[in-house]
Amino acid sequence: MNILILGGGGREHALAWAIKQNPKCDRLIVAPGNAGIAELAETAALDILDAADVLEFCESNAIDFVVIGPEAPLAAGIADALSAAGFLTFGPSAAAARLEASKAFTKEVCDAAHAPTAGYARFTGREAALAYVRQTGAPIVVKADGLAAGKGVVVAMTLAEAEEAIEDMFGGQFGEAGAEVVIEEFMEGEEASFFILCDGETVLPVGTAQDHKRVGDGDTGPNTGGMGAYSPAPVLSEAIQRQALDEIVKPTMAEMSRRGTPFQGILYAGLMIKDGRARLVEYNVRFGDPECQVLMMRLGAQALDLLHAAAEGRLAEMTVSWADDHALTVVMAADGYPGDYVKGTEIRGLDALPSDSSRMCFHAGTVEREGRILANGGRVLNLTARGATLAEARERAYAMVERVDWPEGFCRHDIGWRAL
Ligand code: AMP
Ligand code: GLY
């Protein structure tokens, strides 16, 4: 099979690493890729939001299977364009990707599916939204409807914060994404992520994980894209996974099919767990980053068979085989992230890192220049390891961090604390 992966972050490096191990993979190309991906696959400079560009590339390279990593090309309809042209594609249509691209849409679908989630109200005007929060009080959660790179959610602990968030969103801070605002009941509990492959009909869970959203140790400081993750997430017991599948995931998938927009791809359900029950916080329509890194480390080569079966509508015949192990990833980011940071600083010591089936340095924002590896983004490296226990995985991951020579980078030192 000739396979094209769209994306160029740590998530796509992990996908490429797992897919490459499968003997069914002949040629592997990642667009745009990064310096780490270039060590195991071909890379191509493609505008992955431009359907014509992607189609032309697939035709001239006899691509058999396309895996779409990030949400932006999904929301832009790249999967639709590929499918219409006859290219087998992993990832939902733009209509189904609205489960991530519109929070109001997701709420509407949850209502129809009777899926447990936070109570909410929708607003297209500032005054009504302000009146609503003044009536309900805080804590309360204010969300811009559309995609806002993870920054469109304000968990307001005070009324003043809620009012400020509403002013910002209707003030145009998020452009079109903020034209509608969803205000939600604040849910207490422990958050975890549940990953489920879907082919429009069958659902197949492929793992659980927990992310670390805040930049600082002890969950302090501003939110980021994720500073580390581990899998499995012990809080998502078998019983809670079953409840989440039966009450949230399956009814949502059925509702999407009923609407004529079946979901095919990976559904990432962000759950809030309290008193032994899960409620939905949000859906994403792609693998999490860095959650994908720990899932791929545990799934290995079978990931290709699973993704391929989802795209072909054959999930009913698949099973996932799990090693009874744990994986953990530590994100190294450029100083200043998630605020301003500089690009172009040199990272040394990567050649000496172990790279085998239980230890990998996945690259996120890196670029190679004349044989040197340079930081090229906010989140830059994902030191990922597997172990018989979470403690062992963590020890191995941090042992790799120690060996990275990058004075301008930093990481959290407590990844996995909740589970350990
Ligand atoms: P989202 O982009 O919807 O995942 O929101 C980002 C983060 O905000 C989530 O991971 C939660 O930590 C938090 N959050 C979102 N909605 C709620 C809610 N209704 N109650 C409590 N926390 C929430
Ligand atoms: N790590 C969170 C996300 O990928 O959305």
Side-chain angles (χ1 to χ4, degrees):
M1 234 188 287
N2 293 336
I3 302 170
L4 172 67
I5 300 177
L6 300 185
R11 167 180 47 213
E12 288 76 24
H13 191 182
L15 285 167
W17 175 80
I19 285 173
K20 189 67 195 285
Q21 292 171 38
N22 191 308
K24 293 188 194 100
C25 174
D26 297 312
R27 200 172 158 211
L28 181 61
I29 311 171
V30 185
N34 62 38
I37 291 171
E39 289 170 14
L40 62 85
E42 297 170 52
T43 58
L46 257 186
D47 178 356
I48 64 169
L49 296 178
D50 182 336
D53 217 15
V54 174
L55 282 180
E56 203 273 316
F57 186 87
C58 289
E59 270 149 26
S60 46
N61 289 279
I63 297 297
D64 302 300
F65 184 39
V66 184
V67 175
I68 303 183
E71 62 275 23
L74 294 168
I78 299 298
D80 305 72
L82 284 164
S83 303
F87 291 104
L88 185 68
T89 304
F90 177 81
S93 65
R98 288 188 74 205
L99 282 177
E100 173 164 357
S102 167
K103 298 194 189 288
F105 173 78
T106 299
K107 284 299 196 186
E108 207 178 285
V109 170
C110 283
D111 281 350
H114 305 292
T117 179
Y120 72 103
R122 296 164 63 163
F123 298 93
T124 48
R126 183 177 152 273
E127 288 312 320
L130 287 170
Y132 180 80
V133 296
R134 283 173 191 146
Q135 193 197 332
T136 55
I140 196 150
V141 183
V142 182
K143 300 186 176 186
D145 175 61
L147 290 177
K151 297 180 184 89
V153 175
V154 175
V155 179
M157 297 316 286
T158 64
L159 181 59
E161 284 174 81
E163 289 174 339
E164 189 185 324
I166 291 168
E167 297 285 4
D168 286 348
M169 287 178 197
F170 285 115
Q173 197 188 15
F174 299 102
E176 271 302 298
E180 177 163 357
V181 166
V182 175
I183 299 183
E184 281 186 15
E185 163 202 355
F186 171 75
M187 293 188 286
E188 274 177 73
E190 185 170 346
E191 269 188 277
S193 308
F194 190 20
F195 294 87
I196 307 102
L197 284 174
C198 310
D199 64 7
E201 200 149 324
T202 302
V203 300
L204 182 65
V206 286
T208 62
Q210 235 164 350
D211 188 11
H212 298 62
K213 287 186 205 275
R214 302 294 186 120
V215 74
D217 287 5
D219 287 339
T220 53
N223 267 329
T224 69
M227 293 300 291
Y230 56 90
S231 171
V235 65
L236 278 179
S237 64
E238 290 284 334
I240 299 179
Q241 287 184 45
R242 223 171 304 121
Q243 176 246 326
L245 271 182
D246 291 343
E247 294 182 11
I248 302 174
V249 174
K250 287 182 186 168
T252 302
M253 293 297 97
E255 173 63 15
M256 292 302 286
S257 296
R258 196 192 61 76
R259 290 172 177 239
T261 52
F263 182 93
Q264 180 270 110
I266 182 86
L267 186 69
Y268 160 167
L271 303 174
M272 189 70 81
I273 292 102
K274 188 164 178 261
D275 302 330
R277 279 192 86 240
R279 286 205 282 170
L280 183 77
V281 178
E282 60 157 359
Y283 283 129
N284 294 305
V285 299
R286 44 151 183 103
F287 281 106
D289 187 344
E291 294 93 321
C292 187
Q293 288 79 315
V294 286
L295 294 176
M296 289 304 133
M297 181 134 268
R298 296 187 62 221
L299 284 172
Q302 66 181 319
L304 173 59
D305 300 318
L306 292 167
L307 270 48
H308 194 247
E312 287 196 324
R314 291 187 289 103
L315 277 182
E317 61 188 61
M318 303 300 288
T319 51
V320 183
S321 68
W322 284 114
D324 184 18
D325 61 359
H326 300 256
L328 182 143
T329 187
V330 178
V331 172
M332 291 190 78
D335 283 342
Y337 175 80
D340 293 338
Y341 54 83
V342 294
K343 289 186 181 179
T345 55
E346 185 174 359
I347 306 166
R348 294 190 187 81
L350 298 179
D351 285 343
L353 290 178
S355 114
D356 53 40
S357 63
S358 59
R359 285 170 302 179
M360 267 303 290
C361 172
F362 294 121
H363 289 219
T366 63
V367 64
E368 190 253 6
R369 292 270 181 274
E370 291 150 10
R372 300 185 312 152
I373 303 293
L374 308 180
N376 193 42
R379 293 188 296 167
V380 174
L381 298 172
N382 311 141
L383 291 309
T384 310
R386 208 149 63 130
T389 61
L390 185 60
E392 184 181 51
R394 169 166 148 148
E395 210 168 285
R396 287 180 172 163
Y398 277 107
M400 286 196 281
V401 170
E402 286 301 309
R403 291 165 70 172
V404 175
D405 177 7
W406 182 32
E408 296 85 4
F410 75 98
C411 68
R412 272 181 67 160
H413 301 92
D414 61 351
I415 301 304
W417 69 270
R418 249 180 228 285
L420 279 169

